[in-house]
């Protein structure tokens, strides 16, 4: 691997992944970050990198649905590996406005597959970053394995499921050298504060209500974002072409417990809020339509085949995350101004809840 194209490298997981590639893997080649910079893309996430690695890191603003321009970039930089993160990623937005999810997640992935197919022999791997949400909801017991049938319940997860099927089909039909990973909920630095954990950190810091959907007993399997990045790098090195790998933290947690832990950490770091614990800010709100009850990943396959294991527990990862948000106030203030305000207003009919 000499020239790695990362799509969506300015978003949450993609930017943490690129940082990991340069800082921890010993990679000596080039990374071409192709990102459209939607509301979720933020060049600031990697602003420090350019100065340190020079032209081994290249940013190109562009749309993965633009076949001609993306193909030109692949040729200009002699790309030999593609790691595909670019997507619309927020379930709540997919419920309000699904069109963009179909375009980016399905048409965009298909466009990339066509381009990789045309470059057979030159591009040796297409890694597709996907989600555990494609499997739908679990009951009280059981885990998602790589052979769990797909049962997506939101427009977001349906669009990701569709993209997974296209990736698999391009391997079976045309021999495109693909790998797929389906990962559980990530958290950590540079997470856009529309998602539960950063939203709650920022609201709790400011003394604003903490919206918990339904009864708050939905379960997610949390993984620190840098553990996800390490897993993807491991798959680029050791994953078998044509295979799917589940990635998870073996860390199931009901949403309400997550919110309580964040409140307690902030009380510990900042002191009580006007003499009261931040747990008092918890507000139960209307449930998300089609809300999946429980996700939990069986990551035996990647662990057995590659030796990968998560390094962080939820306790250590959450502490790091809370500290990161408390320390990076300039990043936070810039991110929550502008388009973020419009989203919060549309979603809840109020002005910002996190300033
Ligand atoms: P994100 O929303 O933070 O970032 C997405 C990035 O893609 C942004 O930088 C955005 O500008 C870019 N993008 C969007 N449309 C584009 C287009 N048409 N062309 C080029 N770039 C475009 O998302 P994330 O949370 O970092 O997720 C990254 C990937 O990981 C997604 O594919 C998502 O489905 C998957 N995933 C996310 C999680 C999670 O917990 N966040 C878990 C499992 C899998
Ligand atoms: O499971 C992997 C998925 O995790 C990824 O594929 C998605 O891209 C990523 O956004 C994430 O999806 P979720 O819907 O699980 O994440 P979110 O942070 O939006 O919500 C986490 C849980 O918290 C979910 O059960 C909904 C709930 N929630 C969310 C928000 C934003 C609340 O109770 N209140 C909130 O305000």
């Amino acid at each position: 691997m000499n020239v790695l194209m990362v799509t969506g490298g300015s978003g949450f997981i993609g930017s943490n992944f690129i940082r990991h590639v340069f800082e921890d893997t010993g990679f000596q080649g080039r990374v071409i970050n192709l990102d459209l910079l939607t509301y979720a893309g933020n060049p600031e996430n990697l602003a420090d990198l350019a100065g340190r690695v020079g032209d081994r890191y290249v940013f190109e603003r562009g749309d993965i649905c633009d076949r001609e321009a993306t193909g030109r970039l692949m040729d200009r930089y002699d790309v030999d590996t593609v790691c595909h993160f670019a997507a619309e990623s927020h379930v709540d937005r997919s419920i309000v406005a699904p069109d963009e999810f179909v375009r980016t997640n399905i048409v965009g992935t298909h466009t990339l597959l066509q381009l990789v197919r045309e470059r057979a022999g030159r591009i040796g791997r297409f890694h597709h970053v996907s989600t555990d949400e494609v499997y739908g909801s679990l009951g009280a017991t059981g885990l998602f394995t790589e052979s769990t049938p797909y049962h997506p319940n939101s427009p977001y997860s349906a669009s990701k499921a569709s993209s997974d099927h296209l990736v698999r089909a391009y391997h079976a039909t045309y021999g495109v050298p693909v790998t797929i990973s389906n990962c559980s909920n990530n958290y950590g630095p540079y997470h856009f504060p529309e998602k539960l954990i950063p939203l709650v950190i920022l609201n709790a810091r400011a003394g604003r209500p903490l919206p918990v959907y339904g009864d708050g007993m939905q379960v997610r399997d949390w993984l620190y974002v840098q553990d996800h990045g390490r897993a993807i790098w491991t798959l680029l090195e050791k994953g078998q072409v044509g295979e799917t790998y589940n990635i998870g933290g073996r860390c199931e947690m009901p949403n309400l417990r997550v919110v309580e832990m964040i409140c307690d950490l902030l009380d510990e770091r900042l002191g009580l809020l006007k003499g009261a614990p931040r747990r008092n800010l918890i507000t139960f709100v209307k449930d998300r339509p089609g809300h999946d009850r429980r996700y939990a990943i069986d990551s035996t396959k990647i662990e057995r085949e590659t030796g990968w294991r998560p390094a962080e527990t939820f306790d250590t990862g959450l502490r790091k995350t809370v500290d990161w948000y408390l320390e990076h106030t300039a990043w936070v203030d810039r991110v929550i101004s502008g388009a973020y305000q419009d989203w919060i207003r549309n979603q809840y009919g109020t002005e910002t809840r996190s300033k």
Side-chain angles (χ1 to χ4, degrees):
M1 186 179 0
N2 290 315
V3 185
L4 171 63
M5 173 176 272
V6 174
T7 71
S10 302
F12 165 48
I13 306 176
S15 61
N16 278 287
F17 173 74
I18 292 176
R19 193 173 287 285
H20 169 67
V21 169
F22 281 114
E23 292 178 355
D24 308 315
T25 66
F27 178 65
Q28 294 301 316
R30 280 182 114 180
V31 170
I32 315 301
N33 172 14
L34 170 62
D35 197 297
L36 186 57
L37 298 185
T38 67
Y39 79 93
N42 185 351
E44 208 179 325
N45 297 356
L46 291 169
D48 57 309
L49 204 61
R52 288 192 281 132
V53 302
D55 70 356
R56 290 179 54 226
Y57 171 69
V58 178
F59 173 75
E60 290 281 356
R61 186 170 191 182
D63 186 344
I64 56 166
C65 299
D66 185 339
R67 186 167 166 175
E68 241 183 76
T70 304
R72 267 200 308 274
L73 288 177
M74 287 175 170
D75 294 339
R76 185 193 317 154
Y77 292 107
D78 218 0
V79 168
D80 57 37
T81 307
V82 177
C83 192
H84 175 38
F85 293 86
E88 288 294 330
S89 68
H90 191 38
V91 174
D92 290 328
R93 285 184 194 254
S94 83
I95 294 167
V96 179
D99 292 30
E100 205 51 31
F101 287 72
V102 171
R103 197 186 83 88
T104 295
N105 300 0
I106 306 177
V107 177
T109 301
H110 185 241
T111 305
L112 292 170
L113 287 166
Q114 289 172 303
L115 291 167
V116 175
R117 182 186 168 209
E118 284 163 9
R119 288 160 182 75
R122 282 188 281 153
I123 297 187
R125 178 71 73 82
F126 178 81
H127 182 76
H128 180 57
V129 180
S130 193
T131 170
D132 59 357
E133 300 205 6
V134 298
Y135 299 124
S137 190
L138 288 164
T141 58
L143 300 171
F144 294 134
T145 71
E146 287 79 2
S147 55
T148 302
Y150 275 31
H151 192 109
N153 289 316
S154 71
Y156 163 71
S157 53
S159 69
K160 292 296 290 187
S162 174
S163 66
D164 290 7
H165 290 319
L166 284 164
V167 174
R168 203 187 308 265
Y170 263 64
H171 173 67
T173 309
Y174 306 115
V176 172
V178 308
T179 40
I180 300 175
S181 52
N182 293 88
C183 187
S184 62
N185 283 64
N186 286 211
Y187 67 102
Y190 305 106
H191 206 180
F192 192 81
E194 64 190 350
K195 310 277 169 46
L196 179 71
I197 287 184
L199 181 102
V200 167
I201 294 173
L202 298 186
N203 281 9
R205 184 193 66 166
R208 291 184 174 271
L210 310 177
V212 171
Y213 296 167
D215 62 2
M217 296 315 286
Q218 304 84 4
V219 170
R220 296 292 181 266
D221 175 350
W222 293 96
L223 181 71
Y224 194 60
V225 66
Q226 278 149 19
D227 281 329
H228 188 190
R230 269 196 312 111
I232 291 171
W233 182 259
T234 304
L235 290 176
L236 287 175
E237 288 192 316
K238 300 185 185 166
Q240 295 300 307
V241 165
E243 291 293 313
T244 288
Y245 297 86
N246 280 354
I247 306 171
R250 295 186 188 273
C251 173
E252 291 184 50
M253 201 70 72
N255 293 336
L256 186 56
R257 180 71 197 125
V258 172
V259 175
E260 288 171 349
M261 285 174 75
I262 295 170
C263 290
D264 296 349
L265 276 171
L266 284 167
D267 288 346
E268 187 188 306
R269 294 282 193 273
L270 304 176
L272 296 179
L273 187 77
K274 295 184 189 142
R278 283 176 176 75
R279 287 186 183 208
N280 290 358
L281 298 168
I282 292 173
T283 308
F284 291 94
V285 299
K286 198 165 165 287
D287 208 352
R288 172 187 278 176
H291 199 170
D292 289 330
R293 195 68 182 167
R294 177 171 165 259
Y295 302 148
I297 283 272
D298 180 351
S299 44
T300 305
K301 181 176 174 182
I302 185 173
E303 291 176 5
R304 190 187 56 232
E305 290 189 16
T306 72
W308 173 87
R309 297 265 185 301
E312 300 291 342
T313 64
F314 193 59
D315 197 43
T316 58
L318 195 63
R319 277 174 191 274
K320 284 187 181 178
T321 305
V322 166
D323 287 346
W324 189 89
Y325 278 88
L326 293 180
E327 283 158 14
H328 290 75
T329 47
W331 183 93
V332 167
D333 289 345
R334 272 192 290 277
V335 163
I336 66 176
S337 57
Y340 179 67
Q341 301 287 336
D342 299 337
W343 164 248
I344 293 295
R345 252 193 304 277
N346 284 340
Q347 180 79 335
Y348 305 101
T350 56
E351 59 179 61
T352 177
R353 301 175 304 155
S354 37
K355 215 164 179 181

